Amino acid sequence: QVQLVESGGGLVQAGGSLRLSCAASGRAFSSYTMGWFRQAPGKEREFVAAIRWSGGTTLVADSVKGRFTISTNNAKNTVSLQMNSLKREDTAVYYCAVDRMQTRLAVRAKDYDYWGQGTQVTVSS
């Protein structure tokens, strides 16, 4: 059983930074892909970034490219999302997720098998 626990969300002013972390437990993650998604009120869940645990290949959504960085800490079994230059439109609940298919960097939520409970990020003007 895979367990994912997100942390690091909060309230930040526009232009500020936050670092989200996702602690993963329960399986050997070296063959998996990790992803971050977000969901704003009234909107569909949106892809943010993904990383292959083995090798570190990443994919970042155009809406956050150049501002957000995804990374892993293999020793701690964590995946992080560094968010800089935050904008009001980044306000959402952020979720980390696991895709057991390492051969792809999936951008569709339905391709991910396990999800965390989410952490709220609110960006004020």
Side-chain angles (χ1 to χ4, degrees):
Q1 184 71 17
V2 172
Q3 291 186 326
L4 304 171
V5 179
E6 302 97 335
S7 62
L11 174 64
V12 64
Q13 287 189 331
S17 297
L18 280 176
R19 185 177 181 87
L20 305 183
S21 290
C22 174
S25 62
R27 298 292 293 270
F29 291 91
S30 61
S31 61
Y32 293 167
T33 292
M34 305 296 295
W36 283 98
F37 286 76
R38 65 187 182 185
Q39 189 165 18
K43 295 188 177 181
E44 293 187 355
R45 195 163 294 191
E46 174 191 21
F47 171 77
V48 175
I51 185 168
R52 290 198 180 106
W53 205 288
S54 177
T57 305
T58 63
L59 178 67
V60 180
D62 288 343
S63 60
V64 303
K65 194 169 292 182
R67 301 188 297 121
F68 290 13
T69 303
I70 187 172
S71 61
T72 59
N73 183 323
N74 291 357
K76 295 183 178 181
N77 256 17
T78 59
V79 58
S80 297
L81 186 68
Q82 178 66 40
M83 306 187 296
N84 299 327
S85 302
L86 283 161
K87 304 176 181 180
R88 286 193 64 185
E89 51 263 43
D90 295 319
T91 295
V93 177
Y94 283 71
Y95 300 88
C96 72
V98 171
D99 178 6
R100 292 176 291 181
M101 294 284 291
Q102 192 192 198
T103 54
R104 65 189 177 194
L105 287 168
V107 300
R108 300 181 304 180
K110 67 178 184 179
D111 288 329
Y112 286 77
D113 305 292
Y114 304 101
W115 292 84
Q117 83 289 349
T119 185
Q120 176 71 47
V121 171
T122 303
V123 184
S124 64
S125 58

